[in-house]
Amino acid sequence: MDKIRIRGGKSLHGSLHVSGAKNAALPLMAASLLTDQTLTLVNLPHLADITTMANLLSQHGVSIHMNGHAAEGGHTGRVVELSAGTIASTTAPYDLVRKMRASVLVLGPLLARCGQAQVSLPGGCAIGTRPVDLHIQGLEQLGAEIELREGYVHARAPRGLTGTRILFPKVSVGATENLLMAATLARGETILANAAREPEVSDLAHCLVAMGARIEGIGTDTLRVIGVDGLHGATHQVIADRIETGTYVMAAAITGGDIELIGGRMDDLTAMIAVLSKAGVDFEPTDRGFRAARTRRPLRGVDVMTEPYPGFPTDLQAQMMALMCAAEGAAMITETIFENRFMHVPELARMGADITVHGASALVRGVPYLTGAPVMATDLRASVSLVLAGLFARGETVLNRVYHLDRGYERLEEKLAGCGADVERIRGEAAA
Ligand code: EPZ
């Protein structure tokens, strides 16, 4: 298994390209199931989770052509054509779903297009129990008959789905996306109230509109969908990854550096920018994206609470915690989205961090320095928080279980090294 070795203490300077957003790309790929025509996605990131989704879609009968890298238009990602001419299977098997929870996003499209779907329940996850009850209840409200048997969701809608008003009791990105896709082909009008407003949801909605869907209220918490008889092919560019962007902003901040995020969108990160500005980071738009620098001021502790968009993202909480370890003063970090998303705390503590957890809050007291150590993490964002800590730490940090990072960060070590970090991947057996 690969490892990543970081020798800390170098401040980051330069520029890096932000990749296409993983969490936008996954539902967009699932949307290809809604039409027998070709959906072309531009700026797809090269990540393990994208490969997992491609494998799942292939076994549903989707033919997939990857057209390599395309550099025009400022993006560096791949162009992928997905054609679901006929659906070969409406079953998403456990072996694929257990690798990636986002597989459940095929449920809505398969049910809407084929009138049935059997999707394995994803099961628990390192960061929380993460049920899919909101997806299921919403589809039932659209008229689906659903049974949970032998670890699978068995969904049927032999006479099609029918639009209705669905009020989500809790904001859920995945449930909003699943229901939005299903509603595009439902009879009549569907209202999704208390819908997630994440930029990835809006990106999906824009793509569906390009495919012929009728959706109003994009970007708000109330989506109105007027069902159509069929969708058609389209070409859509995946938005830049705001979480990857935010992660590299924090890498610049923790090292006292100054980097340009090419393709980065400040508008998608207003909550993080407000918090980091208070902490001592300067931001400036550029022709190609924006710059983040922490060269003029010391880092200060700032309190943060994660919230659904447009609040501070849970997917940046672990990185923020690493950053606050390097700040003067204390910071209270409260996680409200997932019940078990502090697994980075003991690993950061092994590097010398001073963090006390009380329920859903962690009190981080800044320390003058961290020390490098061998570390490992149990999920994607926790892993990258340890990379950030390693960039700040004295000495050498070796991150194990790099496969977590590879699920969501494309060429992380190259991007960081390109800005002057001393970081390298130790491959396979050499790492054993
Ligand atoms: C998406 O997960 C992201 N994944 C997550 O990113 C992200 O952390 C999360 O949204 C929150 O922003 C993808 O987009 C592929 P939710 P999702 O449904 O859709 C509860 C990363 O690191 N809930 O918005 O699964 C749930 O348990 C990942 O890239 C229910 O109770 O998240 C959680 O507490 C990790 N019932 C809250 O809602 C349901 O049916 C929000 O989850 C669904 C969710």
Side-chain angles (χ1 to χ4, degrees):
M1 256 186 273
D2 291 3
K3 299 183 181 193
I4 287 190
R5 180 164 58 209
I6 303 150
R7 294 185 182 94
K10 295 254 165 55
S11 67
L12 299 193
H13 290 273
S15 56
L16 56 82
H17 279 270
V18 176
S19 296
K22 165 181 83 83
N23 288 348
L26 294 171
L28 287 167
M29 291 172 77
S32 68
L33 291 166
L34 288 164
T35 173
D36 59 3
Q37 297 181 18
T38 301
L39 175 63
T40 303
L41 297 177
V42 179
N43 198 31
L44 207 74
H46 193 13
L47 296 170
D49 275 11
I50 300 296
T51 308
T52 305
M53 182 57 95
N55 290 339
L56 176 63
L57 293 176
S58 305
Q59 70 85 47
H60 288 308
V62 182
S63 73
I64 301 176
H65 295 286
M66 301 265 185
N67 291 339
H69 282 70
E72 72 274 12
H75 61 80
T76 55
R78 293 182 298 175
V79 177
V80 180
E81 290 169 5
L82 304 124
S83 309
T86 47
I87 302 292
S89 158
T90 53
T91 300
Y94 176 65
D95 269 358
L96 288 171
V97 178
R98 75 184 165 84
K99 285 195 186 153
M100 185 182 69
R101 304 182 55 81
S103 307
V104 78
L105 292 169
V106 301
L107 177 60
L110 283 174
L111 183 63
R113 167 123 175 240
C114 307
Q116 59 164 343
Q118 303 77 38
V119 175
S120 173
L121 282 162
C125 169
I127 61 176
T129 50
R130 302 184 75 182
V132 289
D133 54 325
L134 303 176
H135 304 235
I136 292 170
Q137 284 162 20
L139 291 171
E140 281 176 337
Q141 285 176 267
L142 290 181
E145 294 157 20
I146 299 193
E147 261 188 286
L148 303 182
R149 266 192 281 123
E150 290 143 4
Y152 277 73
V153 179
H154 293 259
R156 290 181 70 248
R159 287 176 301 285
L161 299 168
T162 308
T164 186
R165 183 170 193 278
I166 295 167
L167 171 62
F168 293 108
K170 177 175 194 175
V171 178
S172 162
V173 174
T176 302
E177 292 168 341
N178 234 337
L179 271 293
L180 181 62
M181 289 189 277
T184 59
L185 296 181
R187 263 186 309 275
E189 178 183 284
T190 302
I191 303 286
L192 300 177
N194 197 25
R197 284 183 280 169
E198 269 66 2
E200 295 77 19
V201 175
S202 299
D203 200 33
L204 172 65
H206 287 301
C207 176
L208 293 169
V209 168
M211 293 167 74
R214 292 180 59 197
I215 303 170
E216 293 167 11
I218 297 174
T220 75
D221 66 357
T222 307
L223 295 166
R224 177 168 178 256
V225 188
I226 297 116
V228 293
D229 290 337
L231 297 182
H232 50 72
T235 297
H236 179 82
Q237 178 166 332
V238 181
I239 52 167
D241 195 318
R242 67 192 165 102
I243 305 301
E244 188 198 25
T245 308
T247 301
Y248 290 128
V249 165
M250 297 205 208
I254 202 168
T255 63
D258 178 350
I259 63 173
E260 184 184 13
L261 289 305
I262 302 170
R265 292 162 34 131
M266 289 175 82
D267 286 354
D268 290 347
L269 283 164
T270 46
M272 182 203 78
I273 288 174
V275 165
L276 292 194
S277 299
K278 272 204 242 165
V281 183
D282 297 313
F283 293 89
E284 183 186 63
T286 65
D287 293 347
R288 305 188 291 181
F290 69 94
R291 267 181 59 207
R294 211 267 302 161
T295 46
R296 295 190 304 122
R297 292 182 278 167
L299 263 181
R300 269 193 305 274
V302 188
D303 295 348
V304 164
M305 184 186 285
T306 64
E307 280 169 323
Y309 190 84
F312 191 95
T314 173
D315 289 347
L316 285 172
Q317 178 261 109
Q319 299 89 313
M320 183 69 191
M321 194 173 303
L323 183 64
M324 290 296 95
C325 291
E328 287 174 6
M332 180 71 86
I333 299 185
T334 305
E335 171 60 52
T336 71
I337 309 291
F338 292 110
E339 65 273 23
N340 190 29
R341 210 171 195 184
F342 282 150
M343 281 131 355
H344 37 286
V345 170
E347 296 299 298
L348 288 170
R350 292 183 54 251
M351 298 175 72
D354 181 351
I355 306 171
T356 314
V357 175
H358 297 282
S361 293
L363 178 63
V364 186
R365 292 187 177 87
V367 291
Y369 61 89
L370 295 174
T371 40
V375 285
M376 66 169 72
T378 39
D379 83 295
L380 170 59
R381 310 300 171 188
S383 304
V384 88
S385 78
L386 300 172
V387 171
L388 298 185
L391 292 172
F392 171 68
R394 293 182 181 169
E396 187 175 288
T397 296
V398 176
L399 179 72
N400 295 281
R401 299 191 180 167
V402 167
Y403 55 85
H404 288 299
L405 268 185
D406 292 337
R407 290 185 62 171
Y409 289 91
E410 183 174 13
R411 297 183 289 107
L412 169 113
E413 65 279 13
E414 281 174 44
K415 292 187 186 191
L416 288 173
C419 292
D422 187 346
V423 48
E424 63 181 330
R425 180 179 289 251
I426 314 165
R427 296 217 171 258
E429 272 152 43

